[in-house]
Amino acid sequence: MTDIERKARAREATARLGGWSAGLDVAGVPEAVLERLSLVLLDTLGVTALGAALDEQRALRAAWNAPDGPAPLIGGGRSATVDAAAWLNANALVALELDEGNKYAKGHPAAHGFPAVLALAAERDATGADTAAALLAAYEVAARFGRAARLRAGAHPHGNWGVAGAAAGCARLLGLDAAATAAAIDAGAGLPVAGHFASATDGNPVRNAWMGASNVSGLAAARMAAAGIARNTGTAALSLGDLLGELDTGELTGGLGERWDVTRGYFKRHASCSFTHPAADAALELRGALDPSRIASVLVETHALGAGLASAEWDGRLSAMFSTPFAVAAALLDGEVGPAASGPGRLDDPDLRGLARRVRVAAAADLTARLPDERPARVTVVLDDGATLTREAPNPVGDADHHPLDERDVVRLLHRWLPGGSALIGRAADLARDLPTLRRVGEPLRGLAGLEN
């Protein structure tokens, strides 16, 4: 197929997405979809506040020195300009690897666009119905681009395919028509970050910044369309589909308005990359039947996507969260892989590092064959007397297809991880639950600045 033909197909698919997004009305959305959107929003708000409490995020806010404005720095104690809030909230959202994700999109649709939509909604004091529609458009368009994009080996999925979703959500909130929304989506698809996965495994926080870039780029794309200077030329065919990999344009519109990807995502109970979760879950199942001091070795078999997270060495929080040996060792020793597991006082513990160095990770063809519906792992522990114990997990706990979490579960986790955050969590839960019926969202959103004073 020629470049002209590929661009024509991308342009047509983008036009359909633009029309769907511009016309999206929550009054016609199934109740189950709105309930799941509410839960994704609650998780997003709570996890953003949790990330904002980190010392490094406090330092980033101070260095940014953003002017006061209408959009909350969630958990950051104040409000700022729209662009600063979108960038800083997105960075905080992904800082602890606890943000909601979607295995079919192969990444994190909500984090790509929710901070931008919420910041813009606060500025515009939008209705709850419009804000909910914009969030849903952001998620669904991002997830479809995630399904469609097959990134080159080594490319990290933060900040590239999801920019189009951020643009769609912001365009919906600005009330753009179908053609202008399509132009915004196309512009967003032309603003990808080409980040390497090694930045995550190396512990380079630029990986978090890619989500800030996605949200600010989504705002920029929607504003370009509002100004009438954006065009739908099928940009995605060559940006995502040539420079960064391949693009299956059929995935952009398949089942549009019938399949809701927001209902098919996962929530996290481990502060680590989702590829480590099934192994950590299996390790937790084994933990009650063994003494960790007697472990001679651990073999983690996983799918090809997760096999690269094999290093047992880390030099900080981020590189630890992208290490399966770290996650398995923390699960076996501590009984959980919460935010404290990768805190500065825990990472250098000799028992944690020693056990992690006895964990080996390998790709298994039978597990890879179960992608994308499953992201499985098999963990075999060998004890000092030669006895072996094995457990297998088909998906992470929290996946919509495997032990899904409900509102009580998400709230319970947030309370455990965010001491002193009860009031903020309660306000976030109320906002998320009531969003489609709220008359205006400006003040409720600014009420989530929360913790810092």
Side-chain angles (χ1 to χ4, degrees):
M1 188 183 303
T2 67
D3 285 353
I4 292 175
E5 291 170 326
R6 287 192 293 152
K7 286 193 292 183
R9 291 191 178 190
R11 185 168 60 249
E12 179 182 350
T14 301
R16 286 189 60 193
L17 285 174
W20 178 82
S21 299
L24 186 59
D25 185 339
V26 293
V29 174
E31 186 62 30
V33 176
L34 293 180
E35 289 176 359
R36 183 67 177 193
L37 176 67
S38 169
L39 193 54
V40 173
L41 177 57
L42 168 60
D43 181 81
T44 298
L45 296 171
V47 170
T48 301
L50 185 63
L54 296 173
D55 288 343
E56 55 264 38
Q57 294 299 317
R58 290 192 177 98
L60 182 59
R61 290 195 297 275
W64 201 282
N65 194 26
D68 290 338
L73 299 180
I74 297 169
R78 56 180 290 252
S79 293
T81 58
V82 170
D83 296 64
W87 202 101
L88 290 166
N89 286 335
N91 195 279
L93 172 58
V94 300
L96 281 167
E97 265 299 296
L98 284 168
D99 49 306
E100 186 267 0
N102 189 296
K103 65 191 177 189
Y104 297 104
K106 307 178 287 293
H108 303 266
H112 274 96
F114 276 28
V117 169
L118 293 172
L120 187 60
E123 178 191 50
R124 296 176 65 81
D125 198 19
T127 68
D130 281 342
T131 304
L135 291 170
L136 193 55
Y139 194 104
E140 294 298 317
V141 172
R144 288 173 177 279
F145 271 90
R147 282 176 175 267
R150 293 177 176 85
L151 299 178
R152 294 187 187 279
H156 194 286
H158 273 18
N160 36 63
W161 48 256
V163 184
C170 291
R172 172 61 181 82
L173 207 53
L174 291 174
L176 303 188
D177 64 19
T181 301
I185 293 170
D186 186 79
L191 291 168
V193 171
H196 201 284
F197 211 101
S199 293
T201 54
D202 290 344
N204 189 331
V206 70
R207 171 261 180 194
N208 299 339
W210 298 334
M211 281 306 199
S214 173
N215 282 271
V216 173
S217 290
L219 282 164
R223 289 165 176 158
M224 289 174 63
I229 60 173
R231 297 174 58 205
N232 176 16
T233 62
T235 297
L238 300 185
S239 58
L240 296 171
D242 186 7
L243 293 177
L244 289 181
E246 299 177 359
L247 190 75
D248 180 357
T249 52
E251 289 282 10
L252 295 177
T253 56
L256 187 60
E258 299 173 0
R259 185 194 73 226
W260 298 90
D261 280 337
V262 73
T263 66
R264 310 187 76 184
Y266 57 80
F267 298 109
K268 291 184 167 187
R269 64 169 183 162
H270 304 311
S272 60
C273 175
S274 65
F275 290 160
T276 73
H277 284 215
D281 291 338
L284 287 175
E285 288 188 27
L286 290 169
R287 184 173 184 266
L290 55 83
D291 177 355
S293 68
R294 294 189 54 209
I295 296 175
S297 65
V298 180
L299 171 63
V300 175
E301 297 172 277
T302 186
H303 50 83
L305 295 177
L309 307 187
S311 176
E313 305 297 330
W314 53 81
D315 61 4
R317 183 190 300 277
L318 184 58
S319 54
M321 294 190 300
F322 277 81
S323 163
T324 295
F326 160 79
V328 168
L332 290 170
L333 290 174
D334 302 340
E336 66 172 355
V337 193
S342 57
R346 181 68 174 126
L347 285 179
D348 290 331
D349 181 86
D351 290 337
L352 180 65
R353 286 190 177 271
L355 181 52
R357 288 165 182 155
R358 297 197 294 277
V359 177
R360 182 169 67 88
V361 181
D366 64 315
L367 302 183
T368 298
R370 289 154 63 178
L371 293 171
D373 293 327
E374 295 185 12
R375 285 184 169 182
R378 188 163 49 238
V379 176
T380 300
V381 174
V382 180
L383 302 179
D384 53 11
D385 62 0
T388 63
L389 298 165
T390 300
R391 290 290 188 280
E392 184 176 302
N395 269 308
V397 169
D399 190 282
D401 297 328
H402 182 66
H403 298 298
L405 304 184
D406 59 20
E407 181 180 328
R408 289 175 299 177
D409 297 320
V410 172
V411 168
R412 176 177 53 81
L413 288 171
L414 292 174
H415 277 295
R416 187 164 82 203
W417 294 331
L418 192 62
S422 295
L424 187 150
I425 294 167
R427 289 193 295 270
D430 290 343
L431 171 65
R433 192 182 307 114
D434 299 338
L435 181 63
T437 63
L438 291 179
R439 180 175 172 272
R440 297 291 174 187
V441 301
E443 287 306 312
L445 282 172
R446 284 184 285 276
L448 298 176
L451 302 179
E452 276 189 5
N453 294 309

